Amino acid sequence: MPTYKDEKTGLWYCKFVYTDWTGARRQKKKKGFRLQKEAKEYELDFLSKSQVSCDMKFRLFAELYLEDCKARLKVTTYPGKVNMFEKHILPYFGELKLNEITAATVRQWQTKMLSSGKYKPTYLKSIHNQLSAAFNYACRFYGLRENPARSCGSMGKKKADKMDFWTLDEFRAFNEAIGNKIMTKTIFNLLYWSGMRSGELLALSLRDFDFEARTVTIDKNYARLDSEDLILEPKTPKSNRTIGLPGVVCDMVRDYASRLVDYEDGDRLFEVTKGFLYHEMKRISEKSGVKKIRIHDIRHSHASLLIELGTNILLVSERLGHEDVQTTLDIYGHLYPHKDEEVAGRLDRLCA
């Protein structure tokens, strides 16, 4: 593993031959190392990654895995995955060899995460799923014998113990406290009475509304990444949908749009970010005395309102844009505990 010193710069470099993934032999040269040790470490790491083997440090495997994910995930999903690895996974597993990580190793990591008391059960579940997905990739493409994260069992919970949402009275109190801020009022009424996601709302243009039919069409999603506004495909194919709106909300949107200056057809109707929604919701919740919930919980509030009105679960699912009705049942099934009793009562009255 020879390394060389550049007499002109005083820096070290390495030059070596390796076999790429096609089987061809290639030469690699890397300059600019301050220490000879750094040049040797680079060569060793590079060769470890180029050999389809589990005998490499987990951090090197993670680089390969995340690079593969980057081309397959949405641009808004990938940064979150990288963040979980950098913050929670690599600090513990990074310097361990991939084929030396056992179920016991993962269990010890779980214990450390659980005992910190910093994270919600649903977040812990997500972190563990990310680790398990990486090991699945290693089993499939690098010959790892088994997934230690699967063998040791998961941690956390898939669903939160408690779902926060506003009742109709709570929303009305919040809405009253907004005052005469017409954009804020229009935004929160659209969210509450449609159940759309915040990204779907922030992607809307005026052309998405049919005021005669009293509908809004959802066919895009807004995100902000690296200070750039992005208009993306909806979250899932079923997210493409048309939602009926109350006439009052349609009038509110039309009134708001009539006040815009220099608005061009196709422009975003609400030129704000999710950060604006968060700060407005926090401010108005404190002013109104209504409990603070997340922006996404307004969507839960809409769903709970539909269920309270006796809306069929299939219609709730279609309105929310869920991929299938099972997703809706998994999230909101607990809101139907007495519906079977109501059905039985109706049947009793028919039989009488």
Side-chain angles (χ1 to χ4, degrees):
M1 196 178 295
T3 52
Y4 311 91
K5 191 170 186 178
D6 188 325
E7 298 301 331
K8 292 182 179 179
T9 64
L11 298 175
W12 291 84
Y13 68 94
C14 56
K15 184 170 65 173
F16 53 90
V17 175
Y18 71 99
T19 303
D20 70 11
W21 65 276
T22 67
R25 289 178 62 79
R26 300 184 181 278
Q27 186 179 82
K28 177 73 175 178
K29 184 177 182 179
K30 179 72 173 176
K31 297 181 178 181
F33 297 102
R34 189 172 56 87
L35 302 174
Q36 183 182 25
K37 177 185 175 183
E38 293 173 347
K40 288 183 176 181
E41 286 179 350
Y42 175 86
E43 180 181 351
L44 186 61
D45 287 352
F46 186 93
L47 291 174
S48 293
K49 288 196 292 184
S50 66
Q51 298 165 359
V52 183
S53 167
C54 295
D55 192 31
M56 70 171 96
K57 290 183 178 179
F58 185 87
R59 63 177 173 81
L60 301 176
F61 163 74
E63 289 178 19
L64 296 168
Y65 170 64
L66 292 172
E67 186 63 29
D68 185 81
C69 290
K70 188 174 185 179
R72 291 167 169 79
L73 295 177
K74 291 183 178 180
V75 293
T76 51
T77 303
Y78 180 72
K81 190 178 189 78
V82 171
N83 179 263
M84 279 194 181
F85 268 80
E86 291 180 345
K87 189 173 180 181
H88 303 297
I89 296 175
L90 290 176
Y92 193 90
F93 298 101
E95 295 306 311
L96 301 176
K97 285 191 175 182
L98 182 59
N99 56 10
E100 292 178 350
I101 299 172
T102 65
T105 314
V106 177
R107 194 77 174 179
Q108 290 165 1
W109 167 74
Q110 289 180 344
T111 300
K112 183 179 179 181
M113 295 294 295
L114 288 164
S115 60
S116 73
K118 297 178 181 178
Y119 311 110
K120 293 182 179 180
T122 49
Y123 187 63
L124 290 171
K125 175 75 172 177
S126 295
I127 299 169
H128 182 273
N129 287 347
Q130 293 293 343
L131 179 64
S132 187
F135 282 125
N136 281 337
Y137 181 85
C139 290
R140 185 172 183 182
F141 298 107
Y142 285 82
L144 188 66
R145 292 183 59 186
E146 64 176 1
N147 179 342
R150 179 183 296 166
S151 300
C152 81
S154 188
M155 68 174 172
K157 296 181 180 179
K158 183 177 181 181
K159 295 189 294 184
D161 293 329
K162 178 174 173 289
M163 179 184 292
D164 285 331
F165 58 87
W166 283 335
T167 63
L168 180 56
D169 286 342
E170 286 174 317
F171 174 71
R172 283 174 171 161
F174 176 89
N175 193 40
E176 180 68 24
I178 294 175
N180 60 1
K181 297 187 71 172
I182 185 168
M183 181 174 72
T184 298
K185 181 158 286 205
T186 305
I187 284 173
F188 283 102
N189 274 271
L190 266 173
L191 288 173
Y192 184 81
W193 294 105
S194 73
M196 69 178 72
R197 302 174 179 92
S198 59
E200 294 170 343
L201 175 131
L202 293 176
L204 291 174
S205 67
L206 195 57
R207 66 171 62 157
D208 295 318
F209 291 85
D210 184 331
F211 294 114
E212 289 188 15
R214 299 197 307 188
T215 62
V216 59
T217 297
I218 306 296
D219 60 7
K220 50 192 173 295
N221 190 46
Y222 167 86
R224 188 167 178 82
L225 185 65
D226 296 331
S227 301
E228 182 182 357
D229 293 329
L230 303 175
I231 300 298
L232 308 168
E233 293 290 318
K235 184 176 180 181
T236 67
K238 285 289 184 69
S239 295
N240 288 281
R241 64 200 188 280
T242 298
I243 302 172
L245 296 172
V248 173
V249 177
C250 288
D251 292 341
M252 200 177 293
V253 174
R254 191 155 32 190
D255 179 43
Y256 163 73
S258 70
R259 301 168 188 247
L260 296 176
V261 179
D262 297 329
Y263 179 83
E264 295 186 11
D265 187 42
D267 284 353
R268 286 174 58 215
L269 196 55
F270 306 107
E271 292 282 350
V272 295
T273 65
K274 292 181 181 180
F276 171 85
L277 304 187
Y278 170 82
H279 289 296
E280 281 291 84
M281 192 165 181
K282 182 175 184 293
R283 179 183 68 81
I284 299 162
S285 294
E286 291 172 353
K287 179 181 177 182
S288 65
V290 173
K291 67 175 180 285
K292 185 180 179 300
I293 59 176
R294 301 173 307 160
I295 296 294
H296 192 73
D297 291 330
I298 302 179
R299 180 169 160 86
H300 296 326
S301 302
H302 179 73
S304 68
L305 177 64
L306 295 180
I307 292 168
E308 184 63 28
L309 292 172
T311 309
N312 182 282
I313 190 66
L314 182 60
L315 295 178
V316 175
S317 182
E318 291 175 351
R319 189 169 175 88
L320 294 177
H322 285 161
E323 197 61 18
D324 54 56
V325 72
Q326 188 59 51
T327 301
T328 316
L329 284 169
D330 287 344
I331 300 172
Y332 303 111
H334 68 285
L335 296 178
Y336 282 90
H338 305 298
K339 298 302 177 185
D340 191 55
E341 295 174 17
E342 293 177 15
V343 171
R346 290 174 187 172
L347 291 174
D348 279 340
R349 289 191 290 274
L350 288 173
C351 292

